[in-house]
Amino acid sequence: MSLQTRIEAKLKAAFSPERLMVLNESHLHAGHQPDFDGGGETHMRVRIVAQAFAGLSRVARHRAINEVLKQEFDDGLHALAVEPAVPGEATRW
């Protein structure tokens, strides 16, 4: 199972989102380190809309997502961009 698929499954189970997009942006970071060609699944972006975030600050939302994905960081996820929202909040996507 790919890292992207694992992330999607864990976030669905934890937050029951109305909308969820997990994007692999690793290719955008090619060359940032001498031996990194942009392959693999090291840099991901999560766009998620879930009622579970109601009443939480942006920081608390990020922390909740990072806690759910702790194992993925331990397994090699290097960077995670998070765009959380509750239903009705404006998003840029």
Side-chain angles (χ1 to χ4, degrees):
M1 177 184 302
S2 73
L3 179 62
Q4 185 172 357
T5 302
R6 283 190 357 230
I7 290 171
E8 288 172 354
K10 285 187 172 189
L11 293 176
K12 284 178 183 176
F15 301 111
S16 300
E18 283 186 12
R19 288 190 305 170
L20 175 63
M21 293 172 40
V22 179
L23 308 165
N24 183 349
E25 296 184 339
S26 300
H27 64 283
L28 299 175
H29 300 274
H32 287 187
Q33 302 220 346
D35 59 345
F36 184 63
D37 65 0
E41 296 179 299
T42 57
H43 295 72
M44 305 296 253
R45 178 174 300 275
V46 169
R47 294 176 170 161
I48 184 169
V49 176
Q51 187 60 40
F53 298 131
L56 297 180
S57 69
R58 269 185 87 71
V59 171
R61 294 174 187 184
H62 283 246
R63 285 181 178 155
I65 291 169
N66 286 341
E67 183 62 31
V68 168
L69 300 179
K70 183 181 181 327
Q71 185 61 52
E72 283 61 38
F73 281 103
D74 292 345
D75 290 346
L77 179 61
H78 175 72
L80 181 68
V82 179
E83 299 177 44
V86 296
E89 278 185 344
T91 61
R92 297 180 300 161
W93 41 277

